[in-house]
Amino acid sequence: MKNIVTLILASMCFCAESKAQCHIDDWTALKAIYESTDGNNWEDKQGWEQIKGDTPPPDCDLEILDGVCLDSRRVSSLHLYSNKLEGSIPNEISLLSELETLSMGANKIFGTIPKAISSLNNLQSIWLDFNSLSGEIPVEISNMRDLLSIDLQHNELTGEIPSELGETENLIDIDISNNQLTGSIPPELVRIWVLKLNDNQLTGSIPPIFGNRDFTNLSLILTNNNLSGCFDANLTSVCDSFKEWVYGFLDSISEGNNFEATWEEFCFEGKGICDTINRCHPQDWQALQSIYQNYNGNNWQNTAGWDSLIVNQNSLPTNCNLDDLYG
């Protein structure tokens, strides 16, 4: 909770008192951002005239720029939310080496998310929501060890969700809803506290390991994807986290998907549970393989199933079901 409060305060750009400074890297980065996002037509741009020249003016003071906060004479927060930015994010953003908060949501930013952002080692929160960003989510973001929160909702992002995001050391909040993301849900995301993946084109089912987490209300949202199939029995432990009061039920899982049962039916009626019977016990498989090899299996009259699950296999094949073997 302390981290979340810190993020909210940072996003409002409350600047602590500091001695004004105009670091050349910060000035260069801000100039590039202004020029690449049509700064002349921003809604709030007071003070930004300082970055219009070829070099910083003698009395340069970046702290008086709308949306800019300094800490220890370096830019620590850039808050340009809903400020009529139109254009792309320049690679020079990597020069803001002390940046902790980047808030550029609700604008008309297009193009891809530059990999250069991943070099901002002090960045804790990224808000690029409600823009027109396209392309894939850079896997390099997973290298940002101080990152706590990332909001990319309502863009045009494509490709699969990088599983490496789940391995980012401090990341606890991911909102990548309302994009065009495909592929399955990476099991590695189980460690994320708040996970919003709704309104994409995700396929497959819910990773069973998600049953090991006690999600709070609305911290796991999967609605309106192409998810399908059954629910692993391990997911029953998550059901209590999605009850609304006593008699209602908040479905942020199956609505708009194609599961074999609704999430409510799964939780309250036991419907749609995957068949978890072990139909390929390792010792049975090994014994049957020995029988095949020692009793001239290649010349059996009927080898249905044996030819795919036993022959030339050094270990249990994927989706092994010994019921498929003739006999």
Side-chain angles (χ1 to χ4, degrees):
M1 180 61 71
K2 181 179 179 181
N3 287 333
I4 295 175
V5 172
T6 301
L7 290 176
I8 294 174
L9 291 177
S11 71
M12 297 175 66
C13 201
F14 291 151
C15 297
E17 183 178 353
S18 64
K19 187 175 180 179
Q21 181 68 11
C22 188
H23 193 283
I24 185 60
D25 285 350
D26 290 345
W27 183 88
T28 302
L30 295 175
K31 176 180 175 65
I33 292 172
Y34 186 89
E35 292 178 346
S36 65
T37 57
D38 194 22
N40 289 332
N41 289 312
W42 288 3
E43 184 170 350
D44 298 315
K45 55 180 182 291
Q46 182 176 344
W48 283 81
E49 63 274 1
Q50 295 184 84
I51 54 84
K52 291 186 177 181
D54 294 330
T55 58
D59 58 346
C60 177
D61 183 359
L62 297 181
E63 196 167 42
I64 67 172
L65 274 63
D66 273 340
V68 174
C69 287
L70 269 60
D71 185 14
S72 299
R73 306 183 182 183
R74 294 298 304 274
V75 173
S76 62
S77 176
L78 183 60
H79 184 73
L80 299 173
Y81 199 89
S82 187
N83 198 37
K84 295 186 177 179
L85 278 67
E86 185 171 357
S88 59
I89 303 173
N91 287 324
E92 287 87 347
I93 195 171
S94 63
L95 296 174
L96 298 173
S97 58
E98 301 301 316
L99 192 66
E100 297 179 358
T101 302
L102 175 63
S103 176
M104 299 172 68
N107 286 293
K108 295 182 180 180
I109 299 175
F110 51 79
T112 59
I113 301 172
K115 296 179 181 179
I117 284 182
S118 64
S119 65
L120 300 177
N121 295 323
N122 294 300
L123 200 59
Q124 298 178 15
S125 57
I126 300 174
W127 282 287
L128 295 174
D129 51 304
F130 291 93
N131 279 293
S132 299
L133 292 166
S134 58
E136 299 184 352
I137 300 173
V139 66
E140 289 80 6
I141 290 179
S142 62
N143 297 324
M144 304 170 69
R145 296 306 172 191
D146 284 344
L147 189 63
L148 296 172
S149 174
I150 181 168
D151 189 345
L152 303 175
Q153 64 171 305
H154 287 272
N155 277 286
E156 300 170 9
L157 299 172
T158 56
E160 297 187 1
I161 302 171
S163 60
E164 290 83 356
L165 288 180
E167 301 170 358
T168 305
E169 189 171 341
N170 293 304
L171 188 60
I172 58 174
D173 187 341
I174 297 178
D175 189 345
I176 48 180
S177 60
N178 288 276
N179 279 284
Q180 300 168 24
L181 300 170
T182 55
S184 58
I185 301 171
E188 291 82 358
L189 297 184
V190 66
R191 59 175 300 277
I192 305 300
W193 291 5
V194 178
L195 184 59
K196 299 179 181 180
L197 308 178
N198 54 289
D199 294 275
N200 280 288
Q201 300 169 22
L202 302 176
T203 54
S205 193
I206 304 172
I209 195 173
F210 275 42
N212 298 343
R213 283 297 305 271
D214 181 20
F215 291 93
T216 56
N217 269 355
L218 291 178
S219 63
L220 176 62
I221 305 180
L222 305 176
T223 51
N224 299 320
N225 277 287
N226 294 320
L227 299 172
S228 61
C230 55
F231 299 103
D232 190 274
N234 194 41
L235 296 172
T236 56
S237 61
V238 184
C239 288
D240 286 345
S241 299
F242 293 87
K243 290 180 180 177
E244 184 180 24
W245 303 110
V246 179
Y247 301 107
F249 193 87
L250 190 61
D251 187 351
S252 60
I253 302 294
S254 61
E255 183 178 344
N257 285 303
N258 302 302
F259 290 110
E260 294 178 5
T262 67
W263 180 251
E264 184 173 0
E265 290 173 334
F266 164 68
C267 288
F268 290 109
E269 303 176 31
K271 295 182 178 179
I273 297 179
C274 300
D275 182 1
T276 57
I277 298 175
N278 188 342
R279 299 191 182 277
C280 194
H281 194 281
Q283 291 181 349
D284 290 346
W285 182 83
Q286 291 172 357
L288 293 171
Q289 186 180 57
S290 296
I291 291 173
Y292 186 90
Q293 293 171 346
N294 293 327
Y295 291 92
N296 198 24
N298 290 334
N299 292 316
W300 289 358
Q301 183 174 351
N302 192 332
T303 59
W306 295 79
D307 51 1
S308 60
L309 298 179
I310 300 295
V311 179
N312 297 325
Q313 299 288 342
N314 296 320
S315 60
L316 290 178
T318 304
N319 298 323
C320 176
N321 183 353
L322 297 182
D323 278 343
D324 293 338
L325 273 61
Y326 174 76

